[in-house]
Amino acid sequence: MVQDRTLVFLFSFSALGVLYAMNTIPEFQEPYVILETGVAVLVIVFLFYYLITRGNPPKDFLFFVFAEFCFTCVIDLTSALEYDGIISGFMDFYQKTGEPYLGTSYAIMMCYWDGIAHFILYLMMISRITDRWAAYRTLGLFWAGSLCANMSVFITGIVAGKYGSEVRPAFWLNFLFLLMPVLGAVTLFTRPKDRPLIGGYNAQHVQTMKLIWRPLDMILVVLLLAAMAFTVLRGLVALDSPLEACSVYLSQYEPYLKDPVGYPKVMMLHLFFYGLPLLGAFVYGLLKPGCTWMSDWTTFFAGAMIQCQWSHIGGSLHSRTTTPFRIPNDAFWTVLGANLLYAAVPVLVAMRVHSNPYFFLKIAPFPGQTGLPNSEEKDTKYKEK
């Protein structure tokens, strides 16, 4: 309940004590000692939450994942603040012998996202789990999409970019933060939905309407097609395509895509190979009625996209990005606007699906000829939920 969430919130900041101790005791600053200490701390944090909840254990094992990750969110936020010179005295050792690539502009923005956005999501989901009646499946899918995108780009970017030769033992801790959201996503996708999948009369009526009579859906389809074109363009740039359009875009609009740190290129390839098919699937889902999978996958992809674009836009504007890779002044607002719109499109699609989902429901078989009483009852129950 509220006290559980408050306890998690307060205990998470004990991470500052751990960081301060490691930063002041030289014996804790050796690369393998950092790895061993990191594993030990994660185990201790898990045991702490396990022991204090034994009398009234949470029914969802993801409670322990979210509580554990609240602790690491504080570490990520501390790292970002220290690299930006806002605080000091906590992460000097980690910058040198832990994970030096956390000082890149992309990684700093990624840490801000984890330390703020993910931290808030964890507290909200913990509150709903301990409430035992509140559903958090939609929030969970958004988190899973965000952290999967976060860690997959981060890990791949480390080994594929200029820091690939500077991998230290602490690097291997990152795989835990990739494995957990994948496991969480699989768990949440296989759970029953928070809302019914069967619609009645209202769903049948909406699904008979052509796209031309659904202006919002028509606008979203156009935006999705534009997003697909943008994804293809930047994907080809990342693949070093010799096309003139790619060369012009790289030199005059987003030279950040060729930043040697590797993260921008890896992100574009992720979106090209994984995001592009999903964008195409969403176009299909807006044209073909009864695609019940739309609610889950639009939420998951919205989390992934907004995290990627936050780190990408913030990284390209950050002072640690060298001048040759920053957005040219004469194209600044064009590039910024395109990137913001690109981030907004999946979020808008997800909001549309959840706010008026009748088009994406299966039609209930009607008893008799019309079955209006039963179907209206189903729709009434849906509205109440």
Side-chain angles (χ1 to χ4, degrees), residues 61 343 345:
F61 81 94
V345 170

Side-chain angles (χ1 to χ4, degrees), residues 297-315:
W297 281 101
T298 54
T299 303
F300 182 85
F301 188 63
M305 178 63 84
I306 198 167
Q307 191 284 326
C308 284
Q309 285 296 105
W310 162 270
S311 299
H312 180 71
I313 296 170

Side-chain angles (χ1 to χ4, degrees), residues 9-10 29 34 98 111 115 145 173 185 190 199 207 227 260 283 293 295 302 344 357 365:
F9 175 83
L10 294 175
Q29 298 173 12
I34 292 175
C111 286
L173 288 172
T190 54
Q207 292 183 15
V283 172
W293 49 266
S295 61

Side-chain angles (χ1 to χ4, degrees), residues 271-287:
L271 292 172
F272 186 68
F273 290 110
Y274 303 112
L276 184 62
L278 280 174
L279 291 170
F282 297 157
V283 172
Y284 175 83
L286 288 170
L287 298 175

Side-chain angles (χ1 to χ4, degrees), residues 118-352:
H118 286 163
F119 189 65
I120 294 171
L121 284 174
Y122 293 140
L123 293 178
M124 292 173 66
M125 292 187 289
I126 286 171
S127 179
R128 295 193 177 193
I129 290 173
T130 54
D131 189 17
R132 295 181 184 272
W133 294 103
Y136 75 94
R137 188 173 180 275
T138 300
L139 273 178
L141 287 172
F142 184 88
W143 158 77
S146 176
L147 192 53
C148 282
N150 183 329
M151 296 311 301
S152 60
V153 172
F154 182 58
I155 292 173
T156 310
I158 292 169
V159 297
K162 73 175 186 178
Y163 287 95
S165 60
E166 297 186 42
V167 172
R168 313 281 171 75
F171 164 79
W172 300 103
L173 288 172
N174 290 301
F175 285 91
L176 173 66
F177 301 99
L178 177 61
L179 176 63
M180 287 297 103
V182 171
L183 179 61
V186 172
T187 301
L188 294 168
F189 270 116
T190 54
R191 286 182 183 175
K193 292 179 182 288
D194 298 337
R195 296 180 173 185
L197 298 177
I198 305 298
Y201 175 77
N202 286 345
Q204 185 185 42
H205 173 68
V206 169
Q207 292 183 15
T208 58
M209 299 173 64
K210 301 294 184 182
L211 182 63
I212 193 173
W213 302 114
R214 294 182 282 125
L216 177 59
D217 289 356
M218 185 183 297
I219 293 172
L220 289 176
V221 166
V222 173
L223 289 175
L224 284 168
L225 293 174
M228 291 174 68
F230 195 49
T231 303
V232 170
L233 173 63
R234 299 205 296 182
L236 292 176
V237 170
L239 290 170
D240 298 319
S241 171
L243 291 174
E244 183 180 356
C246 296
S247 301
V248 170
Y249 186 80
L250 179 62
S251 61
Q252 299 183 17
Y253 293 92
E254 280 201 90
Y256 182 59
L257 297 182
K258 285 300 180 181
D259 191 323
V261 297
Y263 299 119
K265 180 176 183 177
V266 169
M267 195 191 93
M268 295 307 122
L269 293 177
H270 271 61
L271 292 172
F272 186 68
F273 290 110
Y274 303 112
L276 184 62
L278 280 174
L279 291 170
F282 297 157
V283 172
Y284 175 83
L286 288 170
L287 298 175
K288 178 72 174 177
C291 294
T292 57
W293 49 266
M294 280 284 283
S295 61
D296 285 352
W297 281 101
T298 54
T299 303
F300 182 85
F301 188 63
M305 178 63 84
I306 198 167
Q307 191 284 326
C308 284
Q309 285 296 105
W310 162 270
S311 299
H312 180 71
I313 296 170
S316 66
L317 301 177
H318 198 277
S319 59
R320 282 182 175 262
T321 297
T322 56
T323 302
F325 298 106
R326 293 185 192 174
I327 302 172
N329 291 331
D330 55 351
F332 180 84
W333 292 110
T334 301
V335 174
L336 182 61
N339 275 279
L340 290 174
L341 181 60
Y342 186 63
V345 170
V347 178
L348 293 174
V349 174
M351 291 173 62
R352 182 267 176 268

